Amino acid sequence: MVPHRQGSDAAVEAMVAEAENHPISSILIIIAMQTEAIPVVNKFQLTENPHSLFPKGVPWVHYHGTYKDITLNLIWPGKDLTLGVDSVGTISSSLVTYASIQASKPDLIINAGTAGGFKAKGAGIGDVFLISHVAFHDRRIPIPVFDLYGVGLRQAFSTPNLLKTLNLKTGKLSTGDSLDMSPQDEASITANDATIKDMEGAAVAYVADLLKVPAIFLKAVTDIVDGEKPTAEEFLQNLAAVTAGLEQAVTQVIDFVSGKCLSDL
């Protein structure tokens, strides 16, 4: 008799193989900040769902609509109920990603957002990167194997045709829950060989991997981490302009995806 685990794995692999060969019909877009989300909402004329998909009391906001032949569900975690600021970071993004996958059953996840970039690795303000790999830089567990778990290195869903057609930059993403960068974070980011630094991506990747949903990551650079300007100042200064470029990249990706299977990407 085949052990249950092996049988379950085989069933999952069969479902993944089937999914890769039918046209993509449902995309889940996870965006952490309202300023990042609204240009995409407006571009695709998405409407806010007055009947929440989520547990009563959570601030998570769901926009939905149809573009060409694709159902689009865009989720942002909303405003913190106490402080009224965007619910950024890995905890909110993990919860929202899990609940949104359960509710919308997407064929593909796009995690889009702004991020810091490293000029030493070729990043500039306004650049949009299609991420190749994601990892954490602030989960330091100096015990064998636990150290690898803490880093949580994962490969984004491979999209060579998308990358070639849209001529996007590509690089590795490192995720942590702080906007600034401590010396310990910097050492971990260097070890992760990261070009881009954000506060959500690796958490979204963890949940997507857990639930076997392919995920891609579009990150637009608002601030140069290894530059001369203070990160918070540069981030706020460039946020509005860079989110416009992010929306354009999301649109290009969805236009490319339309009518294609996962295996075509």
Side-chain angles (χ1 to χ4, degrees):
M1 180 180 292
V2 178
H4 175 71
R5 178 64 180 171
Q6 291 181 12
S8 298
D9 288 348
V12 169
E13 288 174 6
M15 286 191 295
V16 170
E18 182 181 352
E20 287 188 355
N21 291 292
H22 78 76
I24 295 166
S25 61
S26 176
I27 295 177
L28 170 62
I29 305 169
I30 303 287
I31 300 185
M33 299 184 70
Q34 185 176 30
T35 304
E36 300 166 341
I38 293 302
V40 179
V41 168
N42 292 339
K43 170 65 180 181
F44 293 104
Q45 299 181 328
L46 304 180
T47 56
E48 186 173 345
N49 185 357
H51 308 292
S52 178
L53 302 174
F54 306 122
K56 184 178 180 180
V58 300
W60 311 335
V61 182
H62 172 217
Y63 295 96
H64 63 108
T66 302
Y67 180 73
K68 297 184 176 179
D69 50 356
I70 299 174
T71 297
L72 299 178
N73 290 287
L74 184 150
I75 315 293
W76 73 284
K79 302 286 188 179
D80 181 83
L81 295 173
T82 302
L83 300 174
V85 296
D86 289 289
S87 300
V88 300
T90 60
I91 296 174
S92 287
S93 60
S94 295
L95 290 168
V96 162
T97 302
Y98 178 82
S100 301
I101 291 173
Q102 295 295 93
S104 66
K105 309 297 183 187
D107 297 318
L108 178 69
I109 294 170
I110 299 174
N111 174 221
T114 56
F118 291 86
K119 66 179 181 181
K121 300 286 287 184
I125 299 295
D127 287 346
V128 180
F129 282 79
L130 182 65
I131 299 302
S132 62
H133 296 77
V134 299
F136 293 97
H137 58 253
D138 60 354
R139 304 201 314 178
R140 292 176 288 275
I141 313 173
I143 301 171
V145 186
F146 279 99
D147 54 354
L148 300 177
Y149 167 78
V151 172
L153 176 64
R154 286 176 174 80
Q155 184 174 352
F157 184 72
S158 180
T159 56
N161 296 323
L162 171 66
L163 183 64
K164 182 178 179 181
T165 301
L166 300 188
N167 197 30
L168 293 168
K169 288 191 171 186
T170 188
K172 296 178 181 179
L173 170 68
S174 195
T175 296
D177 271 311
S178 296
L179 184 65
D180 65 2
M181 183 174 67
S182 70
Q184 294 92 341
D185 288 345
E186 183 175 10
S188 296
I189 290 168
T190 300
N192 289 342
D193 191 29
T195 302
I196 301 296
K197 169 184 175 290
D198 86 336
M199 297 175 66
E200 290 86 23
V204 173
Y206 170 79
V207 179
D209 185 43
L210 200 64
L211 299 182
K212 305 304 178 190
V213 182
I216 62 175
F217 302 83
L218 290 170
K219 300 294 173 175
V221 177
T222 50
D223 54 278
I224 301 302
V225 185
D226 54 346
E228 297 177 359
K229 291 185 178 180
T231 294
E233 176 185 321
E234 193 170 28
F235 168 75
L236 293 171
Q237 177 184 332
N238 295 315
L239 182 60
V242 170
T243 53
L246 179 66
E247 173 268 304
Q248 292 174 6
V250 171
T251 300
Q252 290 176 328
V253 167
I254 293 176
D255 278 332
F256 180 85
V257 166
S258 177
K260 294 183 175 64
C261 306
L262 290 170
S263 57
D264 297 327
L265 303 185

